Amino acid sequence: MSAVSGRVEATRGFYDTVAGAYARLLPDTRAEAPLDLGVIDHFVACLPASDLPVLDAGCGTGRMLSALAARGVSRRHGVDLSPAMIAEARARHAEVPLTVADLADLPFADRSFAGVLCWYAIIHSTPAEVAAIAAELHRVLIPGGVIALGFQAGTGERVIERAYGHDITLHGVRHETDTVAALLSAAGFDILVRVDRAPHGGEHSAQGFVIAARR
Ligand SMILES: C[S@@+](CC[C@H](N)C(=O)[O-])C[C@H]1O[C@@H](n2cnc3c(N)ncnc32)[C@H](O)[C@@H]1O
């Protein structure tokens, strides 16, 4: 495994600190808007027939592992940067293999997965880091395998100074949906869906979603 940047270390430290509160405050997908849940439904509908698992990339405490199971995806694997987030996921999903790793440097063989759900895991990564993550997720997917991403849409970084009841600083990065689609396309994906929506409820950002298939 290669050394991770100070930025990635900061993200890991942030989620290690907030893991318990994140699990308590965001236990399921009730915070997702209907369109977001529709994106996950569509992702599952696009998965190729395969015995290979779906990777929850940036699985955090594992709430999307439950969302996948509820949609009939029984073979799952979770990976996340934060050991504390993975510990929370392990407490809820003893049946699912879970790995601590950086999405830009995954300890999985080529073509290990039929699908990748990457739900709000690129929201602290620069566009250059997203390009590296896209290349790595392309490597671990089979041809025809499908990826879905959700993220805060727009431009620029914001500084998070309080989150999940903790005073803790981290940079959040918004991404234009077209930029994410272009990075995926350059990494070898065909774009199936790109959509963004205006903020809903108490959200501060628009939200972007992309579904793509490995060429
Ligand atoms: C906002 S949480 C989302 C967690 C989960 N997908 C969900 O929807 O609840 C972001 C997660 O992405 C993980 N993450 C961020 N950057 C990562 C990276 N480079 N590699 C692996 N995980 C990363 C964080 O540790 C954190 O658990």
Side-chain angles (χ1 to χ4, degrees):
M1 187 184 287
S2 58
V4 298
S5 70
R7 234 188 125 86
V8 174
E9 277 303 347
T11 302
R12 191 202 311 266
F14 174 90
Y15 282 101
D16 277 347
T17 301
V18 305
Y22 189 106
R24 265 195 322 280
L25 295 169
L26 210 55
D28 51 34
T29 56
R30 258 173 288 178
E32 265 73 12
L35 182 133
D36 316 358
L37 298 175
V39 169
I40 297 167
D41 290 340
H42 194 72
F43 161 69
V44 171
C46 290
L47 288 170
S50 168
D51 287 336
L52 289 170
V54 168
L55 181 67
D56 186 348
C59 64
T61 57
R63 68 189 183 105
M64 303 315 289
L65 290 169
S66 304
L68 288 169
R71 289 163 176 78
V73 180
S74 55
R75 295 176 72 98
R76 292 153 294 150
H77 193 132
V79 62
D80 199 279
L81 194 57
S82 157
M85 294 293 267
I86 285 287
E88 295 289 344
R90 201 161 274 138
R92 291 166 181 78
H93 298 281
E95 76 289 3
V96 178
L98 296 165
T99 305
V100 175
D102 181 358
L103 296 182
D105 185 19
L106 292 172
F108 306 129
D110 296 357
R111 305 184 179 198
S112 294
F113 299 100
V116 173
L117 179 62
C118 186
W119 203 247
Y120 291 85
I122 60 166
I123 59 175
H124 309 293
S125 304
T126 63
E129 289 167 336
V130 175
I133 289 170
E136 191 64 343
L137 295 177
H138 179 273
R139 181 184 70 75
V140 301
L141 269 174
I142 55 172
V146 176
I147 184 170
L149 300 98
F151 48 90
Q152 280 115 17
T155 52
E157 296 205 10
R158 69 201 163 98
V159 181
I160 302 161
E161 286 175 334
R162 185 165 173 81
Y164 309 108
H166 291 265
D167 292 318
I168 184 165
T169 304
L170 184 67
H171 285 81
V173 184
R174 298 187 185 95
H175 299 284
E176 294 284 8
T177 305
D178 283 347
T179 303
V180 173
L183 291 171
L184 288 169
S185 186
F189 289 95
D190 291 324
I191 306 304
L192 306 179
V193 171
R194 80 180 82 175
V195 62
D196 46 42
R197 63 164 178 80
H200 177 77
E203 291 171 350
H204 299 297
S205 303
Q207 310 294 320
F209 306 94
V210 179
I211 303 177
R214 179 179 160 162
R215 260 173 235 136

